[in-house]
Structure formats: structure tokens, C-alpha cells
Amino acid sequence: MNDDQPVLLEKRGTCLHITLNRPRALNALSHTMVRLLDEALSRAEQDESIASVLLSGAGDRGLCAGGDIRALHDDARASGRESLEFWRDEYRLNARIARFPKPYVALMDGIVMGGGVGVSAHSGIRVVTERSRVAMPETAIGFVPDVGGTRLLSTAPGELGTHLALTGRSVGAADAVLCGLADHHVPARLLPALTEALGEAAGEDTSVAGIVQRFATEPPAGELAAQRDWIDGCYAADSVEEILRRLRESGVPAAGAAADELLTKSPLALKVTLVAIRRAARLDSLEAVLDQEFRVSSRAFEHPDFVEGVRARIIDKDNEPQWKPGSLNEIDDQEVARFFAPLGPGEQELGLAPGPTRD
């Protein structure tokens, strides 16, 4: 496989196998790929000969590392607007996947981050392997979890989702299942056989789910279940400052490490992310959450922390971002609220949910 065809389509029996095909870029999503995926799903929905869809990534490193961050960074530096249109189409694709009427199986093998979560974790049957590392790492680059990620994380048990959203940590198979980001663990060595079996399936929802279940095994032990006490206690706070205080005073070494980790993230991104998670928990649909995320992404795109975060973490890799503001106490509630306000004149809301976004 090469990157010349960024999305590969192959019909195997009644199953449409979609492969994200930018292995050298860890299958990062471009705007072209988002459009191709949307078109493929639209056709598959209407095609009676297609009974199910299987999504996988080319290569052996991961399903998808997220959106094309360098392209977004360059657009932001140039004060462009193409990224907003990318997100508009990407979020609509996320909503389509969530409501797709046929069995949609996502093989979340290897790295699955950001936009990769968006094209997989909203699907009906989500498969992780012992190689899976699933994350929404946006706060590290001055951004905020999107692609419906705030809804997914807001529904995780206790405060696990808040912990993952703020720290941006990746989780393995067991913890992905625990947090509601995946459904089944299948050993990576069995994925070819699972793919073949799905191509031979009759296509009924129970048949597809049953096939996946036949290949499923118990995943290697996770970490989060044993950490619920301090995570739930510390992250239930209403402010990032109070979360940090509780983490520091808990006396738990892992909590102290989490506090250290939070202090490396964009202070503004942390504050906006916490509010986004809390608001997402009160919204009544994925569509309403995506509408909210589009507002937040539009504002984060304009803020210098995004360009600086990508520079420091991905381009120059000096890991020394100069955040503005540089500390939590420099950010007031009004600045955070601006990220959630309706878009202004000349800006178009995403508009997936009927009526105004409610919380």
C-alpha cells in the first residue's frame, strides 16, 4: 500500500472494507479523506448489497493518529479558514458514523488518537487489541478534545473521562473498554481471520456482532480500575485549580504525577476542556455536543496556544511551549465562556442539533 489513494474501498462479500491509507502519516485524516469516507458511507447506506462496514488502518502502527495537525497548524499561522471547513465536514462524518444504520466494525488497532477516535469510537462495534493506545491528547497542543470526544469521555465511569481529557493520556485495551471507548478485545494476530469472517457474514447485525464476539478474548489487565478512588475524588472538583490541589494533597504518587503532567498543558486548554466535559454531560445528543465542539474548536483555532503547542510538540519537538496565558490564575471565567458563545457575524454554526444548543 502507498499514500496515493488515501482511502481504499474493497467489497468482501456483503462487507465494505474501508482502509485509511496514509501509513507514513499514521493514517492521519486529511480533508480529502473525510470527504471520501463520508461519500463511501453514504453509498453503503443506500446499497442493499452492502450489509456491514469494516474500518481499519493501513500498516501495523495504528488505525489513525488524528487529523493532519501540520496542515491545521499551517492554516492557523496563515490566518486561514480551511481548517474550519475540515472540522465542519469531519464532525458531520462523526455524526453519520454514530447513526449509521448497518453494522459498522472499527478495528482500533495500534494508535487511535483524536480524529481517529472520531471515526471509530462512535461506531456500533469497536474492537481493540493488545497494541491499542487510545487517546484524546489535545490539551498538550493548546487545543480541546473534539470529534465527539467530550461526549464519549463525559459518559465514562466516575471521573475517568475527566482525567483522560485533561491529561491527554492514552489507554490500552482494557481501559478503553472500561471507559466506554471500545467494546471488544481481539488479539492482533486474529484480525486477518476476523476480517475474512466478516466478509463471509450474511450481514445481519446479530451475525456481525456474533462473529466479533467469537474472536474476542479478555484483554491484558488495565490500570484505571484500581485508581478509581483518587481519580474520582480529585477530578470531581469544579475547577482545574481545585483538581490540582486535590491531586497534590491526596498523598498518592500516581495523583502527584498526574498533577505534574497537567502543569505541562496549556492552562487555557485545561480550563476550557473541563467546562466542555461538564457541559457535554448535560447535552442531550451527540449532535448537540458536536455543535458545541465546533464553537470551541473555532475559538481555539484563533488562539496562539494552538500554533505554539503544535510547534513545540510536533514540529520543533523542543517540548517547551510558551503558553499565553502562562498560568491558570491569569484566566477568568469570561475568557473561558467566550469559547462556548454563539459564533459571530460572518461565522456559520455547525447546526447538527435541532434548535439552539442546550445545556
Side-chain angles (χ1 to χ4, degrees), residues 25-43:
L26 258 172
N27 302 316
L29 294 173
S30 65
H31 202 166
T32 296
M33 293 170 73
V34 166
R35 289 175 175 142
L36 290 172
L37 281 168
D38 191 71
E39 291 168 4
L41 291 178
S42 179
R43 291 194 301 269

Side-chain angles (χ1 to χ4, degrees), residues 51-101:
S52 63
V53 168
L54 174 67
L55 179 74
S56 66
D60 58 5
R61 296 166 61 201
L63 171 67
C64 175
D68 191 332
I69 296 297
R70 286 177 179 266
L72 297 171
H73 166 272
D74 293 347
D75 190 34
R77 284 196 64 188
S79 300
R81 306 294 289 178
E82 292 180 8
S83 297
L84 302 185
E85 295 311 306
F86 166 73
W87 285 320
R88 189 183 302 279
D89 288 341
E90 183 182 27
Y91 298 175
R92 290 183 179 276
L93 173 64
N94 302 147
R96 178 188 286 281
I97 290 169
R99 64 174 181 263
F100 193 69

Side-chain angles (χ1 to χ4, degrees), residues 111-115 117 133-138 164 168-171 181:
I111 293 174
V112 186
M113 295 184 177
V117 173
R133 301 304 303 176
V134 183
M136 297 296 296
E138 286 77 9
L164 297 182
R169 286 186 181 177
S170 64
V171 295
L181 300 172

